[in-house]
């Protein structure tokens, strides 16, 4: 009976470890995605600002 309990405890612990690993992966993916989105938005804003300045200097 003790062996069965130990196996069950080990399995629950491994399942928790896998869940924790998956959650960490999802968190990193989300953080990376937000960072890429922020960088793209900043680049787009810089491009628009350069275009505005170019149009103003042409007038």
């Amino acid at each position: 009976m003790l062996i069965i309990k130990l196996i069950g405890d080990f399995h629950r612990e491994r399942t928790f470890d896998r869940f924790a690993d998956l959650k960490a992966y999802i968190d990193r993916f989300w953080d990376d995605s937000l960072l890429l989105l922020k960088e793209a938005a900043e680049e787009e804003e810089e491009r628009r600002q350069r275009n505005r300045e170019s149009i103003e200097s042409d007038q």
Side-chain angles (χ1 to χ4, degrees), residues 1-22:
M1 194 62 140
L2 179 60
I3 293 173
I4 293 171
K5 182 181 179 335
L6 290 174
I7 291 172
D9 290 347
F10 176 76
H11 178 69
R12 277 190 293 281
E13 184 175 317
R14 292 284 297 151
T15 301
F16 178 75
D17 288 345
R18 288 185 199 134
F19 177 77
D21 291 343
L22 177 60

Side-chain angles (χ1 to χ4, degrees), residues 33-47:
S33 296
L34 289 176
L35 182 59
L36 289 172
L37 184 60
K38 179 183 176 224
E39 290 172 355
E42 289 172 349
E43 289 173 5
E44 178 66 16
E45 182 59 31
E46 290 171 5
R47 185 185 65 77

Side-chain angles (χ1 to χ4, degrees), residues 19-35:
F19 177 77
D21 291 343
L22 177 60
K23 184 179 180 322
Y25 174 79
I26 291 169
D27 288 345
R28 282 191 311 272
F29 178 83
W30 181 249
D31 291 344
D32 292 346
S33 296
L34 289 176
L35 182 59

Side-chain angles (χ1 to χ4, degrees), residues 48-59:
R48 288 181 181 183
Q49 182 63 30
R50 284 192 304 271
N51 285 345
R52 278 188 225 117
E53 291 170 356
S54 175
I55 290 170
E56 289 173 0
S57 68
D58 289 344
Q59 293 177 353

